[in-house]
Amino acid sequence: MERVLASEKKFVDKLKTYLLFAGPTTLVFATVIILPFLFGIYLTFTNWDGLSKAYVFVSFSNYQKVLQDAAFWTSFLRTVKYVFYTVVLVNSLGFALAYALTGNKVLGQNLLRTGFFVPNLIGGIILGLVWRFIFSNVLVYLGRTLNIGFLSYSWLANPTKALWTLVIVSVWQYSGYMMIIFIAGLSNIPRELIEAATIDGATGFQRLRTIILPLMVPAFIVTVFLTIQRGFMVYDVNLALTNGGPFKTTELISMFVYEKAFLAQQYGVGQAQAFLLFVLVAAISLTQVYFTKKLEVEA
Amino acid sequence: MSRIKAGLSMLVFVLVVSLFSAAALAQNVHITVLNSKGEIQAQLEEIAAYYSSITEGVTVEVAAVPVGQSPFERATALYASGNAPALLMVDAGDVLLFQDRALALNDEKWVADAIENSLDMATAADGRILAFPVTVEGYGFIYNKAVIEQALGGTFDPKTINTRQALRELLDKIEASGTASLVIGPEDWSLGAHFFALAYATQSPDFAEIKKFQEGLKNGEVKLADNAQVNGLLDTFDLMKEYNYDRMDPLASTYDRGTELIGTGEVAVWFQGNWTWPQIKDFAAGNDQFGFLPVPISDNPADYGNTQVPVGVTKYFILDGEQNSPAQQQAAKDFLNWLVYDPEGQKRMVIDASIIPAFKNITITPEDPLAASLLEYVREGRTLNFVLNLPPDHWAQVGASMQKYLADFVDRAGLLAEVEAYWRGL
């Protein structure tokens, strides 16, 4: 009896401590994340338009519509393509910058680090508008005055090049941020390992390939995860830079879902798409984390 | 435990909020107007401030729909947060979606003074009038008179442009004088909701026939390729593409650039609507000689559509019947009546905000030349239906197909197949 009471008391104590420290966060998390998420899943089974009070339960027909919607999958594949190129380019450029800007070799190292990081501090909408001006006015002007063929026409108006403008802007936006993570990773590599390898006669490239890169896997896990997740969720740059155009050739998946829910006023279908997207992105990110973790090595 | 706590704090929160609002109501009736016509935000704010200053105990405030958001979407968010404005300016096609939320306005005085057909889009199946018609708008080819007259070397009578051939000759003469003749704005909303909508509007003066045509598209019975009006309209579009100032890079232009080109007279003709005037004015340097030409769809001047421009009520005010108090609803009704019947209200709406009113009792004429040109068409009975009952994403989807056609990424058969597929997929 006593023991039961004691353990009960212990539990109450623990609960008190938990509520004291994590209570507010739990409450906020539950009300702004968990509840809307569950309510959203409920809405995927209805034909709600977003406003009306009368809506009916339609079981799985919204999901069926999504699975059969060719435009949804086209947009999803386009997003996968965009994510692939941004992940590769952001991480390689971010790592290259970090590698170049560590060790006391470069003059103005800190200034350069700050400079590369700054784009990440600008909001996506403003960034999109700035780059829209660059792509449709500055580059076209340069192309026409200097007679450079591929710059003479706005890339934003070209269905095969417009997606690349999104990739370019995203790379510019995120490389600096990933660079910071890589710099932290690089400075954690024990100096004696590098020194030992140097004494053993390893060249710079050998050191990079056999010592630095394997030890940087934890950093890559984080950066690749971040870039994948941000890539799939991108909306602001997409909206401000191309707005899905020309003729929907750059409409990435977030924008597609948004338009289905709010523009076409099919809230239930839009929610179903969003939920499906959540499942797909979670699956892709977790697979990535699982497999890259296997590459981790001990120093 | 945490659930009880959460419940309690929610309760306290609700009580505090309702206390505050009750206290506020006791002294002053505060109503909010949601504006979805960004170009008149400043004018509406002035009207609201003036109205608040002349009425005892009523404050009117104007909130704007953020750029890039649709009025309907904004309204859903405001309703979901229990914070609906007293008056919501929504697109004509969305009015009926507010059936459950809007106050019926059948007993209002202005109902009898509203112009013919202006309440059609606002009347529910059960006969309730759900909304107040805010503004009449129309579109066509906007022309810069000075540029055309210089090219012609004499006066220009817009009524002479009643066939595609006449339009071609006019554009030729303008080009011959060394000025660019025409520019096509590549915006999806302009091409989808306005230009392609002419294909529906020119089917018949009778709106029921237009609806029948749309039904035929939905069930796949109507074949666009066999339709004379559709082909005629696209023949005219081909002509426009030929003379397009931006033909080298047709999708790169922007709306803002269009207002500048027509305003400064760099280009003589632009396909757009009367809502562009506030921006055109900024570039026109005092020139106010602008007007509308119809978009001809054939070479026979007698064909329906060759001498008419589409005109319709594009925006309505929904009066919230759910989340505003009876006092606020009454204040909103009084405000609408003031706009329609008070000379100061009329003047501020028509002259200051360049709104073409939908009421017969208002006799003031707007000073803006595009509105004046539209009114002339209305008074002469030369109007088409502004087709506003299109599905909500029609402008985006058909607009995208039209952009492909504009940039030659798809031929006419491909375009029509895409439009037909869109309608069948609804």
Side-chain angles (χ1 to χ4, degrees):
Chain A
M1 187 69 188
E2 202 125 280
R3 261 174 61 196
V4 175
L5 265 181
S7 77
E8 218 164 66
K9 197 160 171 259
K10 219 173 154 192
F11 174 73
V12 172
D13 275 345
K14 268 189 178 170
L15 186 69
K16 270 186 192 158
T17 326
Y18 175 81
L19 283 179
L20 181 65
F21 288 104
T25 334
T26 313
L27 181 69
V28 170
F29 187 72
T31 47
V32 307
I33 308 269
I34 303 290
L35 285 179
F37 184 77
L38 295 177
F39 186 62
I41 295 178
Y42 163 72
L43 286 177
T44 62
F45 298 106
T46 68
N47 68 349
W48 197 39
D49 64 5
L51 184 71
S52 135
K53 284 179 185 167
Y55 54 90
V56 291
F57 195 72
V58 295
S59 82
F60 284 94
S61 84
N62 286 336
Y63 287 95
Q64 208 178 343
K65 272 186 202 154
V66 178
L67 293 176
Q68 288 167 353
D69 186 357
F72 175 78
W73 294 107
T74 315
S75 177
F76 183 74
L77 287 180
R78 180 182 302 135
T79 313
V80 170
K81 185 176 155 190
Y82 159 83
V83 169
F84 175 78
Y85 286 113
T86 42
V87 166
V88 171
L89 292 173
V90 165
N91 286 290
S92 31
L93 189 64
F95 182 79
L97 288 175
Y99 193 63
L101 295 177
T102 40
N104 304 316
K105 304 170 260 185
V106 189
L107 192 68
Q109 184 165 286
N110 282 329
L111 189 72
L112 286 173
R113 285 181 183 181
T114 316
F116 288 120
F117 183 69
V118 162
N120 192 57
L121 300 175
I122 307 172
I125 294 283
I126 296 172
L127 208 131
L129 292 176
V130 168
W131 277 90
R132 184 156 84 182
F133 179 75
I134 295 177
F135 280 119
S136 60
N137 298 51
V138 178
L139 290 182
V140 172
Y141 176 78
L142 285 179
R144 291 194 182 163
T145 34
L146 304 176
N147 248 328
I148 309 171
F150 74 102
L151 284 182
S152 304
Y153 300 103
S154 171
W155 282 27
L156 294 175
N158 184 317
T160 49
K161 288 181 183 145
L163 192 67
W164 288 100
T165 65
L166 283 175
V167 174
I168 290 170
V169 174
S170 306
V171 169
W172 184 75
Q173 184 184 15
Y174 289 127
S175 296
Y177 184 55
M178 299 309 152
M179 173 193 76
I180 296 292
I181 297 177
F182 286 127
I183 287 176
L186 283 172
S187 50
N188 270 339
I189 295 177
R191 285 201 71 83
E192 56 269 26
L193 271 179
I194 311 271
E195 272 165 24
T198 317
I199 291 165
D200 285 345
T203 63
F205 178 71
Q206 279 169 331
R207 287 199 302 266
L208 177 68
R209 200 175 64 84
T210 54
I211 298 176
I212 297 177
L213 278 180
L215 286 174
M216 286 294 284
V217 167
F220 273 105
I221 294 178
V222 175
T223 57
V224 172
F225 176 79
L226 283 176
T227 37
I228 286 183
Q229 181 258 343
R230 286 183 182 203
F232 275 106
M233 294 300 150
V234 68
Y235 181 77
D236 45 5
V237 173
N238 196 185
L239 179 76
L241 186 65
T242 67
N243 198 9
F247 41 85
K248 311 228 169 268
T249 47
T250 60
E251 196 173 64
L252 298 181
I253 195 70
S254 294
M255 181 176 275
F256 186 89
V257 170
Y258 175 89
E259 297 214 326
K260 188 55 110 186
F262 294 109
L263 181 64
Q265 295 164 2
Q266 299 181 25
Y267 210 89
V269 181
Q271 274 288 348
Q273 290 174 342
F275 183 62
L276 207 65
L277 180 65
F278 165 78
V279 173
L280 286 168
V281 174
I284 293 173
S285 317
L286 291 178
T287 325
Q288 173 257 323
V289 172
Y290 176 78
F291 281 107
T292 34
K293 268 211 179 281
K294 291 196 162 183
L295 295 174
E296 275 188 50
V297 291
E298 293 278 324
Chain B
M1 169 117 183
S2 75
R3 201 188 286 169
I4 297 172
K5 223 173 163 185
L8 270 178
S9 52
M10 277 302 285
L11 193 66
V12 170
F13 177 68
V14 169
L15 280 176
V16 169
V17 168
S18 52
L19 261 178
F20 270 116
S21 45
L25 277 180
Q27 318 148 343
N28 197 346
V29 180
H30 184 104
I31 60 170
T32 306
V33 178
L34 179 69
N35 172 37
S36 59
K37 279 181 77 64
E39 66 273 20
I40 58 163
Q41 177 69 19
Q43 289 88 337
L44 274 185
E45 279 170 10
E46 262 172 47
I47 292 176
Y50 176 79
Y51 184 76
S52 305
S53 76
I54 59 161
T55 41
E56 191 77 22
V58 176
T59 315
V60 182
E61 189 193 41
V62 182
V65 173
V67 178
Q69 218 177 13
S70 83
F72 177 79
E73 182 202 339
R74 185 71 194 143
T76 59
L78 290 168
Y79 266 105
S81 67
N83 208 1
L87 293 169
L88 302 97
M89 194 194 289
V90 302
D91 291 334
D94 290 339
V95 169
L96 293 185
L97 297 171
F98 289 83
Q99 297 213 32
D100 304 341
R101 317 272 186 174
L103 196 70
L105 300 170
N106 298 48
D107 298 334
E108 294 301 298
K109 188 183 170 200
W110 48 260
V111 169
D113 285 319
I115 57 176
E116 219 179 317
N117 297 330
S118 65
L119 296 175
D120 290 359
M121 295 290 290
T123 310
D126 57 9
R128 280 182 305 148
I129 292 170
L130 300 174
F132 169 96
V134 178
T135 178
V136 173
E137 293 184 314
Y139 60 85
F141 286 128
I142 296 175
Y143 65 90
N144 185 325
K145 198 174 176 194
V147 175
I148 293 187
E149 296 202 329
Q150 203 182 6
L152 296 182
T155 53
F156 172 60
D157 177 9
K159 283 188 181 153
T160 56
I161 309 303
N162 52 14
T163 61
R164 190 182 307 117
Q165 190 52 34
L167 178 65
R168 182 185 286 277
E169 281 160 17
L170 176 71
L171 298 180
D172 275 336
K173 281 179 195 152
I174 300 169
E175 293 281 341
S177 75
T179 309
S181 57
L182 179 143
V183 65
I184 305 175
E187 296 79 28
D188 47 5
W189 52 269
S190 174
L191 296 172
H194 302 147
F195 194 85
F196 200 84
L198 287 169
Y200 314 124
T202 49
Q203 296 298 325
S204 165
D206 183 2
F207 196 63
E209 288 293 318
I210 296 175
K211 278 190 188 161
K212 219 162 135 196
F213 184 75
Q214 294 172 344
E215 281 307 312
L217 278 167
K218 273 185 207 169
N219 58 34
E221 279 165 19
V222 168
K223 292 281 168 273
L224 291 174
D226 307 333
N227 191 282
Q229 286 93 327
V230 172
N231 279 308
L233 182 70
L234 291 177
D235 286 341
T236 305
F237 195 67
D238 291 343
L239 171 73
M240 290 161 67
K241 277 163 71 175
E242 205 179 304
Y243 287 83
N244 186 9
Y245 186 51
D246 289 324
R247 56 187 168 273
M248 301 302 283
D249 206 359
L251 295 176
S253 190
T254 59
Y255 176 77
D256 297 326
R257 188 162 158 277
T259 60
E260 183 180 348
L261 289 175
I262 189 89
T264 55
E266 201 177 330
V267 166
V269 179
W270 182 39
F271 176 78
Q272 260 301 346
N274 64 302
W275 49 85
T276 54
W277 177 246
Q279 285 93 1
I280 293 180
K281 193 178 165 188
D282 289 342
F283 293 107
N287 172 16
D288 63 354
Q289 298 293 300
F290 292 85
F292 280 104
L293 300 176
V295 178
I297 57 162
S298 73
D299 282 331
N300 176 5
D303 278 354
Y304 181 61
N306 285 355
T307 50
Q308 288 92 348
V309 297
V311 174
V313 178
T314 49
K315 295 279 185 185
Y316 287 87
F317 272 134
I318 297 285
L319 206 164
D320 168 59
E322 196 184 55
Q323 297 179 357
N324 282 268
S325 69
Q328 286 174 308
Q329 291 168 358
Q330 190 53 47
K333 284 181 181 173
D334 294 344
F335 178 61
L336 294 181
N337 276 313
W338 179 78
L339 286 177
V340 181
Y341 294 108
D342 188 280
E344 183 66 23
Q346 294 178 348
K347 182 193 145 278
R348 283 177 180 261
M349 184 164 69
V350 178
I351 307 289
D352 296 358
S354 290
I355 277 179
I356 308 179
F359 297 97
K360 286 177 275 193
N361 65 303
I362 302 180
T363 50
I364 323 173
T365 308
E367 281 167 356
D368 104 51
L370 294 182
S373 171
L374 277 186
L375 265 183
E376 210 179 303
Y377 279 97
V378 173
R379 285 176 185 151
E380 290 170 5
R382 298 200 290 140
T383 58
L384 296 167
N385 278 299
F386 193 147
V387 182
L388 293 159
N389 68 333
L390 297 168
D393 59 347
H394 176 279
W395 63 267
Q397 303 296 340
V398 174
S401 302
M402 281 295 285
Q403 286 177 335
K404 285 187 205 171
Y405 187 69
L406 172 62
D408 288 327
F409 282 93
V410 71
D411 62 4
R412 185 177 299 189
L415 164 70
L416 296 181
E418 281 185 20
V419 176
E420 281 174 2
Y422 166 75
W423 280 96
R424 274 200 313 276
L426 286 175

